[in-house]
Amino acid sequence: MDVRQLEYFLAVVDHGGFNKGAKALFMAQPSLSQAIRSLEKDLGSQLFHRIGRRVVLTEAGRALIEPARQAVRSLEVARASVASVQGVRSGRVAIASMPSPAVEPLSTMIGRFRDRYPGVEVVIRDAPVPASVIEQVRTGVTELGLLSAWELPTVADVRLHPVEEQRFVLVAPPDGPFEPARSMPRERLAGQRLIVGEQGTGLRRLVEEIRASGVDVSIAVESEHREAFLPLVLKGVGIGVLAEAWRPLAERAGALVFELDPPASLRLALVSRKGWLSPAAGAFLDAALNDL
């Protein structure tokens, strides 16, 4: 077994099959299949159930994912560390981010980082809830993550670096039901239909807290896609509950934005792997934290 075989294995896992994995690797599908069969022979275990054109991980395959990612990541760190002797001029840093923090502050972090290290590629991976950010960092899918939560989780196998707090805002269409104002008392939401995030998000927890306080609100749309909130608001579907990161976009689109009274906030944190980081990831983390 060698690291290249593990890279091939992870390509099949991450892309959901041999055909897509081969395309991502720029190699022929039969060659990839042969490489996986060779890996299975070396390990003495079948890694995938082949069902027609579909593949499903076996128990042995699932057990291999995390060690494979760690092995591949360790090699990448070793290569990048040697290359960085002359400075961080190239490389790649992958970041798992929840939707709202990806709008801000991640976009500002990346802008500043790219000014300093223009040769480094930045990859953003989607992670809808804090647990998925932590899992991607923990398993080596990414080296870094950015999450937002009502309270920052307590975790033992990754590091959390507090960044900032973001207030929640309400976003309403310009033609009603509210007049422009700076803030919105929660009780004035009575009778309104809200566009909210899925279970497990701070957005959804806020709505449940408003309901628990006795304000009669209903849910018009529950969406995992934050980018859909603003179009839905502007079409009059409901009132959007969003993190303040979305305020500039909402205001430029003509929506009314209100601060909640009393306010509520999300706490944001960067997440990093324990142990060695690649020079590019280390530089990104240092830049992001030092610019606070």
mmCIF file of all heavy atoms in Angstrom, residues 208-258:
data_model
loop_
_atom_site.group_PDB
_atom_site.id
_atom_site.type_symbol
_atom_site.label_atom_id
_atom_site.label_comp_id
_atom_site.label_asym_id
_atom_site.label_seq_id
_atom_site.Cartn_x
_atom_site.Cartn_y
_atom_site.Cartn_z
ATOM 1 N N GLU A 208 -37.123 29.409 17.728
ATOM 2 C CA GLU A 208 -37.763 28.630 18.784
ATOM 3 C C GLU A 208 -37.796 29.408 20.094
ATOM 4 O O GLU A 208 -38.747 29.297 20.872
ATOM 5 C CB GLU A 208 -37.032 27.292 18.964
ATOM 6 C CG GLU A 208 -37.040 26.402 17.728
ATOM 7 C CD GLU A 208 -38.441 26.125 17.202
ATOM 8 O OE1 GLU A 208 -39.396 26.084 18.005
ATOM 9 O OE2 GLU A 208 -38.589 25.945 15.978
ATOM 10 N N GLU A 209 -36.766 30.216 20.334
ATOM 11 C CA GLU A 209 -36.745 31.043 21.546
ATOM 12 C C GLU A 209 -37.837 32.116 21.482
ATOM 13 O O GLU A 209 -38.508 32.399 22.483
ATOM 14 C CB GLU A 209 -35.375 31.700 21.712
ATOM 15 C CG GLU A 209 -35.234 32.524 22.985
ATOM 16 C CD GLU A 209 -33.895 33.209 23.080
ATOM 17 O OE1 GLU A 209 -32.948 32.571 23.586
ATOM 18 O OE2 GLU A 209 -33.771 34.371 22.645
ATOM 19 N N ILE A 210 -38.012 32.722 20.310
ATOM 20 C CA ILE A 210 -39.071 33.724 20.143
ATOM 21 C C ILE A 210 -40.436 33.088 20.372
ATOM 22 O O ILE A 210 -41.304 33.659 21.064
ATOM 23 C CB ILE A 210 -38.987 34.364 18.740
ATOM 24 C CG1 ILE A 210 -37.709 35.209 18.626
ATOM 25 C CG2 ILE A 210 -40.217 35.221 18.452
ATOM 26 C CD1 ILE A 210 -37.426 35.721 17.232
ATOM 27 N N ARG A 211 -40.645 31.910 19.824
ATOM 28 C CA ARG A 211 -41.905 31.194 20.046
ATOM 29 C C ARG A 211 -42.121 30.896 21.524
ATOM 30 O O ARG A 211 -43.218 31.069 22.061
ATOM 31 C CB ARG A 211 -41.900 29.880 19.265
ATOM 32 C CG ARG A 211 -42.251 30.009 17.796
ATOM 33 C CD ARG A 211 -42.116 28.658 17.146
ATOM 34 N NE ARG A 211 -42.889 28.539 15.927
ATOM 35 C CZ ARG A 211 -42.862 27.495 15.136
ATOM 36 N NH1 ARG A 211 -42.097 26.449 15.442
ATOM 37 N NH2 ARG A 211 -43.593 27.453 14.041
ATOM 38 N N ALA A 212 -41.059 30.438 22.187
ATOM 39 C CA ALA A 212 -41.177 30.069 23.596
ATOM 40 C C ALA A 212 -41.514 31.267 24.478
ATOM 41 O O ALA A 212 -42.094 31.103 25.565
ATOM 42 C CB ALA A 212 -39.888 29.410 24.068
ATOM 43 N N SER A 213 -41.165 32.481 24.015
ATOM 44 C CA SER A 213 -41.470 33.686 24.793
ATOM 45 C C SER A 213 -42.929 34.103 24.668
ATOM 46 O O SER A 213 -43.353 35.068 25.298
ATOM 47 C CB SER A 213 -40.567 34.830 24.348
ATOM 48 O OG SER A 213 -40.927 35.284 23.043
ATOM 49 N N GLY A 214 -43.692 33.371 23.835
ATOM 50 C CA GLY A 214 -45.117 33.662 23.704
ATOM 51 C C GLY A 214 -45.498 34.431 22.455
ATOM 52 O O GLY A 214 -46.677 34.754 22.261
ATOM 53 N N VAL A 215 -44.520 34.736 21.574
ATOM 54 C CA VAL A 215 -44.818 35.446 20.326
ATOM 55 C C VAL A 215 -45.274 34.423 19.287
ATOM 56 O O VAL A 215 -44.556 33.465 18.995
ATOM 57 C CB VAL A 215 -43.586 36.221 19.820
ATOM 58 C CG1 VAL A 215 -43.920 36.944 18.510
ATOM 59 C CG2 VAL A 215 -43.109 37.216 20.871
ATOM 60 N N ASP A 216 -46.460 34.646 18.730
ATOM 61 C CA ASP A 216 -47.061 33.687 17.799
ATOM 62 C C ASP A 216 -46.530 33.915 16.385
ATOM 63 O O ASP A 216 -47.047 34.734 15.628
ATOM 64 C CB ASP A 216 -48.586 33.816 17.820
ATOM 65 C CG ASP A 216 -49.260 32.807 16.904
ATOM 66 O OD1 ASP A 216 -48.618 31.789 16.591
ATOM 67 O OD2 ASP A 216 -50.417 33.059 16.487
ATOM 68 N N VAL A 217 -45.464 33.199 16.036
ATOM 69 C CA VAL A 217 -44.925 33.252 14.679
ATOM 70 C C VAL A 217 -45.019 31.859 14.079
ATOM 71 O O VAL A 217 -45.031 30.858 14.789
ATOM 72 C CB VAL A 217 -43.463 33.748 14.654
ATOM 73 C CG1 VAL A 217 -43.352 35.177 15.141
ATOM 74 C CG2 VAL A 217 -42.567 32.826 15.475
ATOM 75 N N SER A 218 -45.079 31.803 12.753
ATOM 76 C CA SER A 218 -45.117 30.522 12.062
ATOM 77 C C SER A 218 -43.966 30.478 11.063
ATOM 78 O O SER A 218 -43.360 31.503 10.734
ATOM 79 C CB SER A 218 -46.447 30.321 11.339
ATOM 80 O OG SER A 218 -46.654 31.347 10.373
ATOM 81 N N ILE A 219 -43.651 29.287 10.588
ATOM 82 C CA ILE A 219 -42.553 29.108 9.631
ATOM 83 C C ILE A 219 -43.129 28.988 8.223
ATOM 84 O O ILE A 219 -43.940 28.101 7.950
ATOM 85 C CB ILE A 219 -41.724 27.864 9.982
ATOM 86 C CG1 ILE A 219 -41.014 28.085 11.324
ATOM 87 C CG2 ILE A 219 -40.695 27.569 8.885
ATOM 88 C CD1 ILE A 219 -40.238 26.885 11.818
ATOM 89 N N ALA A 220 -42.716 29.895 7.358
ATOM 90 C CA ALA A 220 -43.132 29.830 5.955
ATOM 91 C C ALA A 220 -42.239 28.886 5.172
ATOM 92 O O ALA A 220 -42.712 28.071 4.379
ATOM 93 C CB ALA A 220 -43.098 31.225 5.333
ATOM 94 N N VAL A 221 -40.919 29.000 5.385
ATOM 95 C CA VAL A 221 -39.944 28.170 4.664
ATOM 96 C C VAL A 221 -38.801 27.831 5.608
ATOM 97 O O VAL A 221 -38.295 28.700 6.316
ATOM 98 C CB VAL A 221 -39.372 28.892 3.424
ATOM 99 C CG1 VAL A 221 -38.318 28.027 2.729
ATOM 100 C CG2 VAL A 221 -40.469 29.270 2.450
ATOM 101 N N GLU A 222 -38.416 26.556 5.628
ATOM 102 C CA GLU A 222 -37.183 26.133 6.283
ATOM 103 C C GLU A 222 -36.204 25.756 5.185
ATOM 104 O O GLU A 222 -36.522 24.927 4.338
ATOM 105 C CB GLU A 222 -37.431 24.931 7.190
ATOM 106 C CG GLU A 222 -36.160 24.360 7.788
ATOM 107 C CD GLU A 222 -36.394 23.064 8.536
ATOM 108 O OE1 GLU A 222 -37.292 23.021 9.400
ATOM 109 O OE2 GLU A 222 -35.681 22.075 8.220
ATOM 110 N N SER A 223 -35.035 26.371 5.185
ATOM 111 C CA SER A 223 -34.093 26.156 4.087
ATOM 112 C C SER A 223 -32.676 25.982 4.594
ATOM 113 O O SER A 223 -32.245 26.690 5.507
ATOM 114 C CB SER A 223 -34.148 27.331 3.107
ATOM 115 O OG SER A 223 -33.173 27.183 2.090
ATOM 116 N N GLU A 224 -31.957 25.039 3.985
ATOM 117 C CA GLU A 224 -30.525 24.892 4.238
ATOM 118 C C GLU A 224 -29.710 25.862 3.396
ATOM 119 O O GLU A 224 -28.503 25.994 3.597
ATOM 120 C CB GLU A 224 -30.085 23.457 3.924
ATOM 121 C CG GLU A 224 -30.745 22.407 4.804
ATOM 122 C CD GLU A 224 -30.312 20.998 4.441
ATOM 123 O OE1 GLU A 224 -29.527 20.855 3.477
ATOM 124 O OE2 GLU A 224 -30.749 20.055 5.111
ATOM 125 N N HIS A 225 -30.348 26.520 2.444
ATOM 126 C CA HIS A 225 -29.654 27.405 1.500
ATOM 127 C C HIS A 225 -29.857 28.860 1.920
ATOM 128 O O HIS A 225 -30.894 29.465 1.646
ATOM 129 C CB HIS A 225 -30.166 27.188 0.082
ATOM 130 C CG HIS A 225 -29.959 25.791 -0.426
ATOM 131 N ND1 HIS A 225 -28.734 25.338 -0.858
ATOM 132 C CD2 HIS A 225 -30.810 24.744 -0.541
ATOM 133 C CE1 HIS A 225 -28.834 24.077 -1.224
ATOM 134 N NE2 HIS A 225 -30.082 23.692 -1.037
ATOM 135 N N ARG A 226 -28.839 29.443 2.578
ATOM 136 C CA ARG A 226 -28.975 30.835 3.029
ATOM 137 C C ARG A 226 -29.134 31.789 1.847
ATOM 138 O O ARG A 226 -29.789 32.822 1.971
ATOM 139 C CB ARG A 226 -27.745 31.239 3.851
ATOM 140 C CG ARG A 226 -27.477 30.381 5.061
ATOM 141 C CD ARG A 226 -28.535 30.507 6.136
ATOM 142 N NE ARG A 226 -28.224 29.592 7.221
ATOM 143 C CZ ARG A 226 -28.607 28.331 7.274
ATOM 144 N NH1 ARG A 226 -29.360 27.843 6.306
ATOM 145 N NH2 ARG A 226 -28.271 27.559 8.288
ATOM 146 N N GLU A 227 -28.542 31.422 0.700
ATOM 147 C CA GLU A 227 -28.634 32.315 -0.449
ATOM 148 C C GLU A 227 -30.056 32.437 -0.967
ATOM 149 O O GLU A 227 -30.364 33.365 -1.739
ATOM 150 C CB GLU A 227 -27.704 31.833 -1.568
ATOM 151 C CG GLU A 227 -28.031 30.467 -2.139
ATOM 152 C CD GLU A 227 -27.394 29.318 -1.414
ATOM 153 O OE1 GLU A 227 -26.950 29.510 -0.258
ATOM 154 O OE2 GLU A 227 -27.350 28.218 -1.990
ATOM 155 N N ALA A 228 -30.948 31.530 -0.533
ATOM 156 C CA ALA A 228 -32.347 31.599 -0.969
ATOM 157 C C ALA A 228 -33.175 32.529 -0.098
ATOM 158 O O ALA A 228 -34.278 32.934 -0.497
ATOM 159 C CB ALA A 228 -32.970 30.200 -0.952
ATOM 160 N N PHE A 229 -32.678 32.885 1.090
ATOM 161 C CA PHE A 229 -33.488 33.683 2.018
ATOM 162 C C PHE A 229 -33.888 35.029 1.423
ATOM 163 O O PHE A 229 -35.053 35.422 1.466
ATOM 164 C CB PHE A 229 -32.720 33.917 3.325
ATOM 165 C CG PHE A 229 -32.742 32.757 4.281
ATOM 166 C CD1 PHE A 229 -32.668 31.450 3.826
ATOM 167 C CD2 PHE A 229 -32.815 32.955 5.648
ATOM 168 C CE1 PHE A 229 -32.673 30.376 4.703
ATOM 169 C CE2 PHE A 229 -32.834 31.908 6.537
ATOM 170 C CZ PHE A 229 -32.756 30.612 6.059
ATOM 171 N N LEU A 230 -32.898 35.766 0.902
ATOM 172 C CA LEU A 230 -33.168 37.111 0.415
ATOM 173 C C LEU A 230 -34.141 37.124 -0.764
ATOM 174 O O LEU A 230 -35.101 37.915 -0.757
ATOM 175 C CB LEU A 230 -31.855 37.812 0.060
ATOM 176 C CG LEU A 230 -31.952 39.279 -0.349
ATOM 177 C CD1 LEU A 230 -32.667 40.100 0.707
ATOM 178 C CD2 LEU A 230 -30.547 39.843 -0.605
ATOM 179 N N PRO A 231 -33.970 36.275 -1.794
ATOM 180 C CA PRO A 231 -34.974 36.243 -2.865
ATOM 181 C C PRO A 231 -36.378 35.915 -2.360
ATOM 182 O O PRO A 231 -37.369 36.487 -2.836
ATOM 183 C CB PRO A 231 -34.451 35.144 -3.799
ATOM 184 C CG PRO A 231 -32.986 35.117 -3.569
ATOM 185 C CD PRO A 231 -32.819 35.405 -2.121
ATOM 186 N N LEU A 232 -36.468 35.004 -1.385
ATOM 187 C CA LEU A 232 -37.780 34.656 -0.835
ATOM 188 C C LEU A 232 -38.396 35.844 -0.107
ATOM 189 O O LEU A 232 -39.602 36.098 -0.212
ATOM 190 C CB LEU A 232 -37.648 33.461 0.116
ATOM 191 C CG LEU A 232 -37.350 32.108 -0.541
ATOM 192 C CD1 LEU A 232 -36.961 31.070 0.511
ATOM 193 C CD2 LEU A 232 -38.562 31.627 -1.340
ATOM 194 N N VAL A 233 -37.580 36.586 0.626
ATOM 195 C CA VAL A 233 -38.080 37.778 1.322
ATOM 196 C C VAL A 233 -38.589 38.803 0.311
ATOM 197 O O VAL A 233 -39.681 39.366 0.453
ATOM 198 C CB VAL A 233 -36.971 38.389 2.206
ATOM 199 C CG1 VAL A 233 -37.375 39.795 2.668
ATOM 200 C CG2 VAL A 233 -36.700 37.497 3.405
ATOM 201 N N LEU A 234 -37.800 39.071 -0.719
ATOM 202 C CA LEU A 234 -38.172 40.089 -1.704
ATOM 203 C C LEU A 234 -39.416 39.699 -2.497
ATOM 204 O O LEU A 234 -40.122 40.574 -3.021
ATOM 205 C CB LEU A 234 -37.003 40.347 -2.649
ATOM 206 C CG LEU A 234 -35.757 40.980 -1.991
ATOM 207 C CD1 LEU A 234 -34.610 41.062 -2.973
ATOM 208 C CD2 LEU A 234 -36.085 42.362 -1.429
ATOM 209 N N LYS A 235 -39.719 38.396 -2.569
ATOM 210 C CA LYS A 235 -40.945 37.948 -3.229
ATOM 211 C C LYS A 235 -42.142 37.932 -2.286
ATOM 212 O O LYS A 235 -43.244 37.521 -2.669
ATOM 213 C CB LYS A 235 -40.726 36.556 -3.821
ATOM 214 C CG LYS A 235 -39.767 36.521 -4.996
ATOM 215 C CD LYS A 235 -39.611 35.116 -5.561
ATOM 216 C CE LYS A 235 -38.565 35.088 -6.675
ATOM 217 N NZ LYS A 235 -38.971 35.905 -7.843
ATOM 218 N N GLY A 236 -41.928 38.361 -1.045
ATOM 219 C CA GLY A 236 -43.027 38.449 -0.100
ATOM 220 C C GLY A 236 -43.427 37.150 0.550
ATOM 221 O O GLY A 236 -44.502 37.053 1.147
ATOM 222 N N VAL A 237 -42.544 36.140 0.501
ATOM 223 C CA VAL A 237 -42.886 34.839 1.081
ATOM 224 C C VAL A 237 -42.898 34.898 2.603
ATOM 225 O O VAL A 237 -43.693 34.236 3.260
ATOM 226 C CB VAL A 237 -41.904 33.761 0.591
ATOM 227 C CG1 VAL A 237 -42.153 32.426 1.289
ATOM 228 C CG2 VAL A 237 -42.017 33.600 -0.923
ATOM 229 N N GLY A 238 -42.015 35.699 3.186
ATOM 230 C CA GLY A 238 -41.946 35.791 4.635
ATOM 231 C C GLY A 238 -40.847 36.741 5.075
ATOM 232 O O GLY A 238 -40.201 37.390 4.246
ATOM 233 N N ILE A 239 -40.663 36.822 6.389
ATOM 234 C CA ILE A 239 -39.607 37.646 6.983
ATOM 235 C C ILE A 239 -38.398 36.755 7.224
ATOM 236 O O ILE A 239 -38.515 35.665 7.788
ATOM 237 C CB ILE A 239 -40.071 38.266 8.321
ATOM 238 C CG1 ILE A 239 -41.394 39.012 8.133
ATOM 239 C CG2 ILE A 239 -38.989 39.188 8.876
ATOM 240 C CD1 ILE A 239 -41.334 40.129 7.143
ATOM 241 N N GLY A 240 -37.217 37.189 6.804
ATOM 242 C CA GLY A 240 -36.020 36.378 6.945
ATOM 243 C C GLY A 240 -35.316 36.611 8.264
ATOM 244 O O GLY A 240 -35.237 37.744 8.747
ATOM 245 N N VAL A 241 -34.833 35.535 8.855
ATOM 246 C CA VAL A 241 -34.008 35.614 10.058
ATOM 247 C C VAL A 241 -32.594 35.212 9.644
ATOM 248 O O VAL A 241 -32.353 34.075 9.241
ATOM 249 C CB VAL A 241 -34.524 34.663 11.160
ATOM 250 C CG1 VAL A 241 -33.648 34.788 12.403
ATOM 251 C CG2 VAL A 241 -35.973 34.967 11.491
ATOM 252 N N LEU A 242 -31.643 36.163 9.719
ATOM 253 C CA LEU A 242 -30.294 35.941 9.202
ATOM 254 C C LEU A 242 -29.245 36.503 10.151
ATOM 255 O O LEU A 242 -29.557 37.310 11.031
ATOM 256 C CB LEU A 242 -30.135 36.611 7.832
ATOM 257 C CG LEU A 242 -30.794 35.930 6.638
ATOM 258 C CD1 LEU A 242 -30.860 36.870 5.458
ATOM 259 C CD2 LEU A 242 -30.016 34.664 6.266
ATOM 260 N N ALA A 243 -28.014 36.086 9.942
ATOM 261 C CA ALA A 243 -26.893 36.690 10.649
ATOM 262 C C ALA A 243 -26.565 38.027 9.997
ATOM 263 O O ALA A 243 -26.852 38.271 8.825
ATOM 264 C CB ALA A 243 -25.675 35.765 10.605
ATOM 265 N N GLU A 244 -25.944 38.912 10.777
ATOM 266 C CA GLU A 244 -25.676 40.273 10.307
ATOM 267 C C GLU A 244 -24.744 40.297 9.097
ATOM 268 O O GLU A 244 -24.674 41.305 8.389
ATOM 269 C CB GLU A 244 -25.081 41.102 11.441
ATOM 270 C CG GLU A 244 -25.114 42.592 11.185
ATOM 271 C CD GLU A 244 -24.831 43.397 12.436
ATOM 272 O OE1 GLU A 244 -24.290 42.835 13.401
ATOM 273 O OE2 GLU A 244 -25.144 44.600 12.437
ATOM 274 N N ALA A 245 -24.033 39.208 8.834
ATOM 275 C CA ALA A 245 -23.163 39.131 7.662
ATOM 276 C C ALA A 245 -23.922 39.428 6.374
ATOM 277 O O ALA A 245 -23.347 39.901 5.388
ATOM 278 C CB ALA A 245 -22.528 37.745 7.575
ATOM 279 N N TRP A 246 -25.218 39.145 6.364
ATOM 280 C CA TRP A 246 -26.025 39.332 5.158
ATOM 281 C C TRP A 246 -26.566 40.755 5.014
ATOM 282 O O TRP A 246 -27.189 41.070 4.007
ATOM 283 C CB TRP A 246 -27.191 38.341 5.162
ATOM 284 C CG TRP A 246 -26.767 36.919 5.077
ATOM 285 C CD1 TRP A 246 -26.477 36.086 6.122
ATOM 286 C CD2 TRP A 246 -26.551 36.157 3.893
ATOM 287 N NE1 TRP A 246 -26.103 34.846 5.660
ATOM 288 C CE2 TRP A 246 -26.140 34.859 4.297
ATOM 289 C CE3 TRP A 246 -26.675 36.432 2.530
ATOM 290 C CZ2 TRP A 246 -25.845 33.848 3.384
ATOM 291 C CZ3 TRP A 246 -26.379 35.422 1.628
ATOM 292 C CH2 TRP A 246 -25.969 34.160 2.053
ATOM 293 N N ARG A 247 -26.375 41.622 6.011
ATOM 294 C CA ARG A 247 -26.958 42.964 5.974
ATOM 295 C C ARG A 247 -26.577 43.756 4.716
ATOM 296 O O ARG A 247 -27.465 44.305 4.040
ATOM 297 C CB ARG A 247 -26.571 43.751 7.215
ATOM 298 C CG ARG A 247 -27.101 45.187 7.212
ATOM 299 C CD ARG A 247 -26.462 46.041 8.298
ATOM 300 N NE ARG A 247 -26.974 45.715 9.610
ATOM 301 C CZ ARG A 247 -28.051 46.289 10.151
ATOM 302 N NH1 ARG A 247 -28.728 47.209 9.477
ATOM 303 N NH2 ARG A 247 -28.449 45.955 11.356
ATOM 304 N N PRO A 248 -25.274 43.865 4.354
ATOM 305 C CA PRO A 248 -24.941 44.675 3.172
ATOM 306 C C PRO A 248 -25.628 44.192 1.897
ATOM 307 O O PRO A 248 -26.128 44.999 1.111
ATOM 308 C CB PRO A 248 -23.421 44.540 3.072
ATOM 309 C CG PRO A 248 -22.978 44.218 4.463
ATOM 310 C CD PRO A 248 -24.061 43.348 5.021
ATOM 311 N N LEU A 249 -25.667 42.876 1.677
ATOM 312 C CA LEU A 249 -26.316 42.342 0.484
ATOM 313 C C LEU A 249 -27.805 42.636 0.504
ATOM 314 O O LEU A 249 -28.400 43.015 -0.521
ATOM 315 C CB LEU A 249 -26.082 40.826 0.394
ATOM 316 C CG LEU A 249 -24.651 40.362 0.124
ATOM 317 C CD1 LEU A 249 -24.563 38.839 0.234
ATOM 318 C CD2 LEU A 249 -24.190 40.810 -1.255
ATOM 319 N N ALA A 250 -28.428 42.469 1.673
ATOM 320 C CA ALA A 250 -29.863 42.703 1.786
ATOM 321 C C ALA A 250 -30.204 44.161 1.527
ATOM 322 O O ALA A 250 -31.173 44.480 0.807
ATOM 323 C CB ALA A 250 -30.358 42.278 3.166
ATOM 324 N N GLU A 251 -29.434 45.063 2.077
ATOM 325 C CA GLU A 251 -29.718 46.489 1.896
ATOM 326 C C GLU A 251 -29.491 46.915 0.451
ATOM 327 O O GLU A 251 -30.271 47.718 -0.094
ATOM 328 C CB GLU A 251 -28.859 47.315 2.854
ATOM 329 C CG GLU A 251 -29.282 47.147 4.311
ATOM 330 C CD GLU A 251 -28.417 47.938 5.277
ATOM 331 O OE1 GLU A 251 -27.259 48.261 4.923
ATOM 332 O OE2 GLU A 251 -28.890 48.220 6.391
ATOM 333 N N ARG A 252 -28.444 46.383 -0.203
ATOM 334 C CA ARG A 252 -28.224 46.726 -1.610
ATOM 335 C C ARG A 252 -29.356 46.205 -2.501
ATOM 336 O O ARG A 252 -29.657 46.805 -3.539
ATOM 337 C CB ARG A 252 -26.879 46.170 -2.083
ATOM 338 C CG ARG A 252 -25.681 46.955 -1.580
ATOM 339 C CD ARG A 252 -24.446 46.682 -2.411
ATOM 340 N NE ARG A 252 -23.994 45.311 -2.293
ATOM 341 C CZ ARG A 252 -23.144 44.891 -1.367
ATOM 342 N NH1 ARG A 252 -22.664 45.744 -0.467
ATOM 343 N NH2 ARG A 252 -22.754 43.632 -1.323
ATOM 344 N N ALA A 253 -29.973 45.091 -2.081
ATOM 345 C CA ALA A 253 -31.088 44.536 -2.854
ATOM 346 C C ALA A 253 -32.400 45.260 -2.602
ATOM 347 O O ALA A 253 -33.405 44.976 -3.263
ATOM 348 C CB ALA A 253 -31.254 43.055 -2.530
ATOM 349 N N GLY A 254 -32.402 46.197 -1.653
ATOM 350 C CA GLY A 254 -33.607 46.974 -1.388
ATOM 351 C C GLY A 254 -34.449 46.490 -0.230
ATOM 352 O O GLY A 254 -35.509 47.057 0.051
ATOM 353 N N ALA A 255 -34.009 45.441 0.461
ATOM 354 C CA ALA A 255 -34.775 44.921 1.592
ATOM 355 C C ALA A 255 -34.582 45.827 2.813
ATOM 356 O O ALA A 255 -33.608 46.578 2.914
ATOM 357 C CB ALA A 255 -34.332 43.505 1.924
ATOM 358 N N LEU A 256 -35.525 45.756 3.743
ATOM 359 C CA LEU A 256 -35.401 46.453 5.016
ATOM 360 C C LEU A 256 -34.739 45.513 6.021
ATOM 361 O O LEU A 256 -35.090 44.342 6.108
ATOM 362 C CB LEU A 256 -36.781 46.869 5.539
ATOM 363 C CG LEU A 256 -37.590 47.798 4.634
ATOM 364 C CD1 LEU A 256 -38.934 48.112 5.288
ATOM 365 C CD2 LEU A 256 -36.831 49.087 4.340
ATOM 366 N N VAL A 257 -33.773 46.042 6.772
ATOM 367 C CA VAL A 257 -33.044 45.229 7.747
ATOM 368 C C VAL A 257 -33.247 45.840 9.128
ATOM 369 O O VAL A 257 -33.069 47.045 9.328
ATOM 370 C CB VAL A 257 -31.543 45.165 7.412
ATOM 371 C CG1 VAL A 257 -30.815 44.308 8.436
ATOM 372 C CG2 VAL A 257 -31.340 44.602 6.009
ATOM 373 N N PHE A 258 -33.618 44.995 10.091
ATOM 374 C CA PHE A 258 -33.897 45.439 11.450
ATOM 375 C C PHE A 258 -33.042 44.664 12.443
ATOM 376 O O PHE A 258 -32.860 43.454 12.300
ATOM 377 C CB PHE A 258 -35.374 45.191 11.812
ATOM 378 C CG PHE A 258 -36.359 45.805 10.867
ATOM 379 C CD1 PHE A 258 -36.802 45.102 9.758
ATOM 380 C CD2 PHE A 258 -36.855 47.075 11.089
ATOM 381 C CE1 PHE A 258 -37.715 45.654 8.877
ATOM 382 C CE2 PHE A 258 -37.770 47.642 10.214
ATOM 383 C CZ PHE A 258 -38.204 46.942 9.108
#
